[in-house]
Amino acid sequence: MQSRRFPGLPVIGILTAVYFIAGKFGLMLASLHASASPVWPPAGIALAALLVLGYRAWPAIFVGAFLVNVTTAGNVATSLAIASGNTLEALCGAWLVNRFAGGTTVFDRPQGVFKFALAAAVSTIIGPAFGVTSLALAGFADWANYGPIWLTWWLGDTTGDLLIAPSIILWSIAPKWRWNRKEAAEVGVLLLLLFVLSEAVFCGWLTISARNYPIGFISGPIVIWTAFRFSQRETAAGIFILSAIAIWGTLHGFGPFVGETENQSLLTLQSWTAVLTITAMALSAGMAERGRAEKALRESEARINLATNAANLGLWLWNIRDDELWVTEKWRRLFGFAESEPVNFGQLLQVVHPEDRERMKQTVQDMLEHGGGGEHESEYRITRPDGSIRWIAGYGGVELDDRGKPAFARGVSRDITKRKIAEDALRESEERFRTVANAAPVMIWMSGPDKLCNFFNKGWLDFTGRTMEQELGKGWTEGVHADDLDHCLEVNETSFNAWQPFTTEYRLRRNDGEYRWVLDSGTPRFASDGAFLGYIGSCFDITERKLAEEKFRLVLDAAPNAMIMVDSAGVINFANAPAATVFGYSLSELIGRSIETLIPERFRDRHADYRKGFLSEPTSRAMGAGRDLFGCRKDGSEFPVEVGLNPIRTAQGLFVLASVIDITERKQAELELQLKHMELARVGRVAVMGELAASLAHEVNNPIAAIVSNAGAGQRLIAAGKIETKDLNDLLADIVADGRRAGEIVQGVRNMVRKTKPRRSLVRINDTIDDLLRIVRADALRREVTVAAEVDSDGGRVLADSAQLLQVLLNLTINAFEAMSAMRPGARRVVIHAGRNENGEIVVSVRDSGPGLPEGIVDQLFEPFFSTKAEGTGMGLAIARSIVEAHGGALSGENCDGGGACFTVRLPEARDDKSKVT
């Protein structure tokens, strides 16, 4: 049974009420016993409800049955037993119908109707078994009447299932077709006739008794008519109407089923009604099944006609004994016969082309002699009434009679004129191709999709000195050198499987027995519809080229530098022994690799663009002017290189020969030299600071000593209690004066530093940054710091002392290096940026990726002798600020949002006449 949604409480309530009302109506007809009625509609209602709503509607049946019986006869116990029996009866009937008869589609086929009747007869045994037994045990029924009461109960439940359930089930399903006006009128006439005949038989219009029993079937033809003309829904409705009228008339003493007692009369009527119901419903289901079969047949014929028309096929059936041909309209149009013109085999032969007529007769004769030996095919020409000639393909077979003699032949005919024209054109095209291929100065071969060669031109056959038959298939491989055969077949197999072009080189035996190097290029062939047809290829003798390449290789192998030759796609075609040594690969590993493999991964994505740029304007030059170049060994390690590029133009295209020199030792020597220069600069800075410190100590020593002396005297006088206010004021005035004198000494030194006659000139910021990068490069490498410069194309110029300006930027950069000493090497990065701000000032910033400046010290950074480093003197930033301010600029420091510290120098831009921009 299909899964259904659980019925809600309102549905359960309505079903309970309907069951209760129907039950009360049924018990009104009980005469043998108050709880046993020969007419019991609730049984059909319960069965239909479980089939339509699902098994979970059983509570409504149980409650309804209990309420019906508890208000009729017996007690609570018997009512519960009867309710349980009625519920189990409905559940059993629904399960049987769902399991064996198709559920709610039970009335679609006659077999389903009979299965439904059997399920109703079997399942209704449960209700009377529970009910009559419980009433007898409780004393509400006489054991002597157990059999009649049980039979009445069972027949009432069975007829209830047969009469009520079909109507409910069928009318709960949406109709598959609707009446038209004519059918609606016919339904009205049927209902009127059914009503009139039913009234005449069962309502006293005619004097009928049991002796006139057959007259009761007078209403049967109307029901049968309904079954033939309409669906199961209308048939079930007609039976229900007839049954209702018959029950009413029988209860009132009319009709052929009136017996000695009311119970006997109703039992006889219900038996007749049950038989009529099964017969009519089975007939209606059979008619519906026949209608579906006829519809399917019509649809099948329509599809066959549609398919044959779409495929340009004409169907034919030949009655061999009578020599009659049944043909479709498409066949008539194909062969030029009129629509009503009779056709036989002799007439067919008349339209067959004279040159094909005898062959056609022989084909038919062979077909008849071999009987049912399978399908036969033939192709022939016909001459149509308009004189045109068409090619026809015929496919057919013979059917034998009971004696094994040919009785019928059936088949199809198809117009293949276009295919024949295409085949002729293809043959002509192939002939032209063979002529052109044989005249070509190269060796040409072709293969099919099966990887077997099916053509070799004259050039190939002349070169190998073999015949076409010897070379076809895989015969050509006999001429390939044994050392090259496996590689040649592997390339061939791989390319065929992927339908990709290929190029390979191998040695092929010439007709004089000498093996010659050939370049074999293959290209896949495809039909217009995309179907794979195989390959076409050409071969060139490249022996002379291979000898020249070998000489070229010997020259390059003798070169001391690494030499690598790359094609336009960036694939390495040649490498000498030093190249293998430098990069750590074997020669076989290098050949065929992409040149990007030898480039460090951090530069790899940009190298392809550099390569394309060189190929667009190929000239002999050094690679990467102005950039540091690095190579990547097989183990992933990097090393500095110098590369020279030389374009080489060949018949195979443009190649690039690269000379690669490992300059690791040179770079190491330069690094050591730069480190020495840095050490000298650092020693000079320390010496200057020492001199400045000594000068300051000497000049400030006297005022500081006077301050200490006066302060000590004041302490002693206070301790002795002999000091007067006037004396204390005098001591404090002396201390203030000595302090001011010390400040004046320091200020004098600062003024001396500031007011030294500067040597000012126009300085390009770009040049200063370049000098700075050159100086710190060695230190950056030693500290494993990455330095990046972001300088505008025109960084601007300032009027400054270039040495002092460089010293300021050097101090900021070295401080940045030292600030990142605790960071992991990969995270150490310094960015130097130069440009202009919105005020037109030249701005140079130095930003590191270190921990940044501690909170609360930004304002103290530029104070003399203040330092965040344990070994720092605290004078570097102070002197740097004094230099910047002496140039009319400003120096500031701050923490960056992304981490690290940033120091910024702002200087006024200078004009060409050395004046400042305001």
Side-chain angles (χ1 to χ4, degrees):
M1 187 180 80
Q2 293 180 348
S3 177
R4 297 180 178 87
R5 184 174 57 85
F6 179 74
L9 290 178
V11 176
I12 295 293
I14 293 173
L15 180 58
T16 302
V18 170
Y19 189 98
F20 179 79
I21 294 170
K24 283 300 183 181
F25 169 75
L27 292 180
M28 290 173 59
L29 305 180
S31 58
L32 182 63
H33 188 276
S35 297
S37 173
V39 179
W40 189 244
I45 294 173
L47 178 58
L50 292 181
L51 288 173
V52 174
L53 299 177
Y55 295 129
R56 288 180 288 185
W58 69 266
I61 301 169
F62 182 84
V63 174
F66 174 77
L67 294 176
V68 169
N69 288 278
V70 79
T71 58
T72 301
N75 55 27
V76 173
T78 59
S79 299
L80 288 174
I82 294 172
S84 299
N86 291 352
T87 304
L88 288 175
E89 174 185 298
L91 287 170
C92 178
W95 182 84
L96 288 173
V97 173
N98 283 323
R99 179 66 177 81
F100 299 104
T104 55
T105 64
V106 62
F107 303 109
D108 286 353
R109 304 176 64 196
Q111 298 93 319
V113 174
F114 291 118
K115 290 180 181 179
F116 178 82
L118 181 60
V122 172
S123 63
T124 51
I125 295 174
I126 300 174
F130 272 68
V132 180
T133 302
S134 63
L135 290 172
L137 290 174
F140 293 102
D142 189 357
W143 286 100
N145 287 332
Y146 186 92
I149 297 174
W150 189 94
L151 180 61
T152 300
W153 195 313
W154 173 78
L155 189 58
D157 286 5
T158 301
T159 54
D161 282 351
L162 293 175
L163 291 174
I164 304 300
S167 295
I168 296 176
I169 293 171
L170 291 168
W171 285 88
S172 67
I173 301 173
K176 297 180 180 178
W177 58 280
R178 298 182 180 275
W179 302 332
N180 54 37
R181 290 184 179 182
K182 182 179 179 181
E183 290 171 336
E186 187 176 354
V187 169
V189 172
L190 284 175
L191 291 177
L192 179 61
L193 288 174
L194 184 62
F195 179 78
V196 171
L197 292 176
S198 299
E199 288 288 330
V201 175
F202 296 104
C203 295
W205 289 10
L206 300 175
T207 302
I208 299 173
S209 65
R211 291 174 300 178
N212 308 112
Y213 173 76
I215 202 171
F217 292 98
I218 195 173
S219 303
I222 306 302
V223 176
I224 301 303
W225 185 2
T226 306
F228 267 102
R229 293 288 297 145
F230 297 98
S231 69
Q232 299 93 312
R233 287 159 54 99
E234 290 78 9
T235 304
I239 295 173
F240 176 78
I241 294 171
L242 175 61
S243 176
I245 296 174
I247 291 172
W248 185 89
T250 302
L251 288 174
H252 289 76
F254 302 113
F257 301 107
V258 176
E260 296 178 0
T261 65
E262 180 180 298
N263 190 70
Q264 183 181 359
S265 302
L266 290 176
L267 287 177
T268 305
L269 173 63
Q270 293 294 73
S271 300
W272 174 79
T273 306
V275 174
L276 180 62
T277 300
I278 295 172
T279 303
M281 291 303 296
L283 181 60
S284 178
M287 294 303 297
E289 186 175 30
R290 176 183 172 184
R292 292 194 298 271
E294 290 176 349
K295 181 181 178 182
L297 180 59
R298 288 192 299 271
E299 292 177 352
S300 177
E301 290 179 349
R303 285 195 295 270
I304 290 174
N305 288 332
L306 181 63
T308 56
N309 289 334
N312 199 26
L313 297 176
L315 305 182
W316 53 268
L317 174 64
W318 183 26
N319 184 338
I320 299 174
R321 293 197 190 102
D322 301 332
D323 191 18
E324 292 180 353
L325 271 172
W326 173 89
V327 295
T328 61
E329 185 64 28
K330 183 69 177 179
W331 191 94
R332 290 181 177 274
R333 292 197 301 270
L334 196 61
F335 283 80
F337 285 93
E339 183 175 353
S340 59
E341 182 181 358
V343 183
N344 55 39
F345 182 67
Q347 291 174 303
L348 173 60
L349 281 178
Q350 292 302 314
V351 300
V352 175
H353 195 279
E355 295 179 4
D356 298 335
R357 195 169 295 162
E358 288 301 321
R359 182 166 52 85
M360 176 73 163
K361 289 180 182 180
Q362 187 60 44
T363 300
V364 173
Q365 185 65 31
D366 292 343
M367 184 173 67
L368 295 179
E369 289 178 358
H370 292 88
E375 295 293 327
H376 298 267
E377 300 180 12
S378 63
E379 294 181 359
Y380 52 92
R381 290 166 291 175
I382 64 171
T383 304
R384 290 172 53 84
D386 59 2
S388 61
I389 296 177
R390 310 292 293 179
W391 274 96
I392 302 295
Y395 310 89
V398 175
E399 296 180 8
L400 305 180
D401 58 13
D402 297 339
R403 297 174 298 174
K405 299 294 184 180
F408 296 94
R410 67 180 73 241
V412 297
S413 299
R414 182 164 61 95
D415 188 341
I416 59 170
T417 305
K418 292 183 178 179
R419 192 194 78 186
K420 283 292 186 179
I421 294 174
E423 289 176 354
D424 291 341
L426 179 60
R427 280 193 295 271
E428 293 179 5
S429 176
E430 289 178 349
E431 289 299 325
R432 288 195 297 270
F433 168 76
R434 291 176 185 274
T435 302
V436 173
N438 287 330
V442 297
M443 295 181 284
I444 297 177
W445 56 266
M446 288 180 64
S447 69
D450 56 359
K451 304 177 184 178
L452 300 178
C453 289
N454 52 30
F455 172 76
F456 293 91
N457 73 337
K458 185 176 182 297
W460 178 288
L461 299 178
D462 290 344
F463 181 89
T464 60
R466 289 160 59 90
T467 65
M468 179 74 75
E469 289 72 19
Q470 290 176 315
E471 297 292 81
L472 290 178
K474 292 190 176 181
W476 63 275
T477 59
E478 297 176 4
V480 179
H481 195 283
D483 294 342
D484 302 334
L485 182 59
D486 290 341
H487 174 70
C488 179
L489 294 178
E490 180 183 357
V491 172
N492 188 284
E493 180 79 13
T494 303
S495 302
F496 258 85
N497 292 338
W499 296 357
Q500 294 292 329
F502 68 86
T503 299
T504 184
E505 296 178 0
Y506 56 89
R507 284 164 288 180
L508 185 65
R509 187 174 58 241
R510 199 166 57 181
N511 53 24
D512 58 1
E514 179 185 353
Y515 281 95
R516 304 286 291 180
W517 280 99
V518 295
L519 176 66
D520 193 347
S521 301
T523 303
R525 298 182 297 123
F526 298 94
S528 58
D529 60 354
F532 176 61
L533 300 178
Y535 271 74
I536 183 170
S538 61
C539 290
F540 298 88
D541 187 337
I542 59 170
T543 305
E544 302 304 326
R545 195 195 80 186
K546 295 289 285 187
L547 294 174
E549 288 179 355
E550 185 62 24
K551 294 178 181 178
F552 180 68
R553 184 185 303 275
L554 292 174
V555 171
L556 294 183
D557 277 339
N561 300 335
M563 306 296 290
I564 298 174
M565 190 162 68
V566 182
D567 63 18
S568 58
V571 177
I572 299 174
N573 282 250
F574 170 81
N576 63 354
T581 303
V582 168
F583 288 97
Y585 291 91
S586 66
L587 286 176
S588 60
E589 290 177 321
L590 280 176
I591 304 303
R593 281 183 176 270
S594 171
I595 189 61
E596 273 73 26
T597 306
L598 309 181
I599 306 298
E601 188 173 355
R602 56 195 175 112
F603 304 120
R604 200 168 291 167
D605 57 343
R606 288 173 281 176
H607 186 265
D609 293 334
Y610 294 147
R611 179 163 49 81
K612 291 178 182 178
F614 177 83
L615 293 176
S616 63
E617 297 181 3
T619 56
S620 297
R621 59 180 175 80
M623 177 180 171
R627 293 184 285 118
D628 289 331
L629 302 182
F630 294 88
C632 180
R633 297 187 181 94
K634 183 178 180 180
D635 60 6
S637 61
E638 298 181 10
F639 60 99
V641 295
E642 280 185 356
V643 181
L645 302 178
N646 295 277
I648 300 177
R649 292 176 174 83
T650 69
Q652 287 72 41
L654 179 64
F655 289 82
V656 179
L657 180 64
S659 171
V660 183
I661 303 175
D662 184 350
I663 58 172
T664 302
E665 295 181 358
R666 185 204 305 171
K667 286 290 185 179
Q668 186 64 34
E670 292 177 354
L671 176 61
E672 292 177 357
L673 180 61
Q674 290 178 357
L675 289 176
K676 289 179 180 179
H677 289 167
M678 290 290 295
E679 182 64 18
L680 291 175
R682 190 186 67 81
V683 170
R685 289 170 57 199
V686 171
V688 171
M689 291 301 300
E691 292 176 2
L692 178 60
S695 173
L696 287 173
H698 180 270
E699 294 296 331
V700 178
N701 184 53
N702 289 335
I704 289 178
I707 291 172
V708 171
S709 176
N710 289 330
Q715 286 178 333
R716 289 192 298 273
L717 290 175
I718 292 172
K722 300 179 180 180
I723 190 166
E724 298 294 337
T725 302
K726 181 178 180 301
D727 297 332
L728 181 60
N729 287 334
D730 293 337
L731 286 174
L732 292 175
D734 291 341
I735 290 173
V736 169
D738 290 336
R740 287 175 177 173
R741 187 157 60 90
E744 290 174 355
I745 293 172
V746 173
Q747 185 64 36
V749 173
R750 292 182 63 192
N751 290 339
M752 177 187 65
V753 174
R754 285 183 178 179
K755 294 181 180 180
T756 300
K757 183 64 175 180
R759 293 175 297 169
R760 304 288 173 85
S761 61
L762 288 175
V763 178
R764 286 171 46 85
I765 291 296
N766 299 47
D767 297 338
T768 304
I769 299 298
D770 290 341
D771 294 339
L772 173 65
L773 294 176
R774 179 177 52 77
I775 293 173
V776 303
R777 180 178 299 166
D779 199 19
L781 291 174
R782 182 174 58 83
R783 297 175 185 265
E784 298 183 67
V785 177
T786 301
V787 180
E790 299 175 351
V791 182
D792 293 348
S793 58
D794 181 14
R797 295 181 294 180
V798 296
L799 189 61
D801 185 327
S802 59
Q804 289 184 350
L805 183 57
L806 180 60
Q807 184 64 29
V808 169
L809 298 180
L810 179 62
N811 181 276
L812 297 179
T813 305
I814 296 301
N815 287 347
F817 287 178
E818 294 172 350
M820 296 185 293
S821 59
M823 305 294 290
R824 60 183 177 85
R828 299 170 186 173
R829 180 176 175 84
V830 171
V831 179
I832 301 172
H833 177 80
R836 295 179 176 82
N837 62 11
E838 61 274 11
N839 297 324
E841 296 175 307
I842 302 299
V843 178
V844 182
S845 63
V846 180
R847 175 177 177 173
D848 63 59
S849 60
L853 302 172
E855 291 185 14
I857 69 164
V858 175
D859 295 333
Q860 307 174 48
L861 284 175
F862 302 96
E863 295 180 2
F865 303 105
F866 177 84
S867 176
T868 59
K869 298 175 288 187
E871 69 278 16
T873 63
M875 289 300 294
L877 289 177
I879 295 174
R881 170 175 273 185
S882 67
I883 292 173
V884 173
E885 290 178 349
H887 286 74
L891 173 63
S892 60
E894 61 183 356
N895 283 324
C896 304
D897 293 338
C902 180
F903 287 83
T904 303
V905 176
R906 296 178 180 82
L907 295 169
E909 185 177 10
R911 298 184 185 276
D912 292 338
D913 57 359
K914 299 186 179 183
S915 63
K916 297 178 181 178
V917 178
T918 58

